[in-house]
Amino acid sequence: MTAVLERTTAPTAAQGWWAKTRAAARYEYLMQVRRPAVWVVVIGLIALRCSAPLPVNIGSVTDHAALVSDWAGNFMELGPIGVGAVLADRVRREARLELNDLLASTPTGIGPRLWGKAVGAGAATITPFALCWAALLGYLSTKHGAGVIPVGIEVFATVFLPGLIFVTAFSLTVPFLTGPVLFRLGLFGYWVWGNMVGPDYGIPTPAGTPFEAIGEYPIGAWFHGFMFDARERGWNATSADAVISIAFLLLTALAALATAHYVLNRRSPS
């Protein structure tokens, strides 16, 4: 921790909001990316899902977009749960390490610390996710040609990032109220219910609608991927549906962070 603090330039009162946020993000990234749990949990859950029988016969797929997007569906089934699980303890961990008073004594301010944490800690936790995806694309390119790489980058931006940003925002805000253990249980329950329990189970769920977080609509609309829950509803994804799905996730994440910012400012004695 001391080494990270020494390498991170402390923002001064004269610096602007953006400069303070960048400094906080750099500090948070270096703190988070060095934690072994980040790598073990995220990579472990991705490996667990990808080692299971795949939902479609991916070996028979020749279209690059469909091939990559079906692999993306496997990454998104458990990977975001790992991202949320390791981010959830940031609030309690800082209290346990007695960092709250130290951070509060800096001229950074509540806003830059919160948004810097979201950017820095979120990016650090997504790093092993991204590296696993890059390794898979490298492997697929040797089997199916280099055309899978640009498709994989597009899938990462449109399928992975909105859902991961959504999970990151709630993992850094809700544990203020619930604590990390209860949040992890809630995240697991929400992810299974809201993304993997299809309408055929007879339970009201957003699964199969544009308001799920697993990225099924961008997969179906833009990459010809298989849509399990939407197919159960008899819906075909359009580009408009995919845009609505992405916008819903990003705006909800923004609302969660903005609400936390407002509440923390109200509670601050200054």
Side-chain angles (χ1 to χ4, degrees):
M1 183 186 69
T2 303
V4 174
L5 287 171
E6 288 175 351
R7 294 179 190 179
T8 304
T9 304
T12 65
Q15 288 180 312
W17 194 92
W18 288 109
K20 295 176 183 179
T21 302
R22 287 196 302 270
R26 181 173 182 269
Y27 163 76
E28 292 288 347
Y29 184 89
L30 293 173
M31 286 286 289
Q32 185 78 351
V33 81
R34 295 164 186 262
R35 296 179 59 198
V38 171
W39 296 85
V40 172
V41 173
V42 175
I43 294 177
L45 286 176
I46 291 174
L48 176 65
R49 179 62 191 92
C50 289
S51 65
L54 300 171
V56 294
N57 185 13
I58 289 180
S60 66
V61 177
T62 57
D63 178 72
H64 286 165
L67 172 72
V68 173
S69 63
D70 285 330
W71 273 107
N74 284 275
F75 268 59
M76 285 297 284
E77 283 202 15
L78 295 180
I81 296 176
V83 170
V86 294
L87 279 172
D89 70 345
R90 290 295 297 178
V91 176
R92 295 291 175 88
R93 187 168 183 266
E94 288 175 355
R96 186 172 67 251
L97 295 175
E98 299 181 349
L99 289 175
N100 286 335
D101 291 339
L102 174 63
L103 294 173
S105 67
T106 68
T108 305
I110 291 173
R113 285 207 308 273
L114 174 64
W115 294 95
K117 187 189 301 294
V119 174
T125 312
I126 294 171
T127 295
F129 194 107
L131 291 179
C132 285
W133 185 242
L136 174 65
L137 292 181
Y139 170 77
L140 292 178
S141 68
T142 64
K143 300 292 184 180
H144 302 276
V148 301
I149 295 179
V151 176
I153 294 172
E154 293 173 0
V155 167
F156 188 87
T158 58
V159 177
F160 291 163
L161 277 184
L164 293 174
I165 290 172
F166 174 83
V167 170
T168 295
F170 282 90
S171 300
L172 292 174
T173 54
V174 176
F176 275 108
L177 301 175
T178 65
V181 175
L182 187 58
F183 174 79
R184 290 184 183 115
L185 292 174
L187 173 63
F188 178 81
Y190 159 74
W191 199 260
V192 173
W193 163 76
N195 298 282
M196 290 186 280
V197 176
D200 283 356
Y201 285 88
I203 301 173
T205 172
T209 75
F211 305 107
E212 62 186 5
I214 206 168
E216 188 177 36
Y217 272 77
I219 283 176
W222 294 330
F223 302 104
H224 319 128
F226 194 84
M227 300 179 65
F228 294 93
D229 296 329
R231 175 171 291 190
E232 291 180 8
R233 294 184 182 275
W235 293 0
N236 293 316
T238 65
S239 291
D241 294 327
V243 171
I244 290 171
S245 181
I246 292 172
F248 169 76
L249 295 175
L250 296 180
L251 290 174
T252 305
L254 179 63
L257 290 168
T259 300
H261 187 179
Y262 173 78
V263 172
L264 291 174
N265 266 332
R266 294 274 295 181
R267 291 181 178 179
S268 175
S270 58

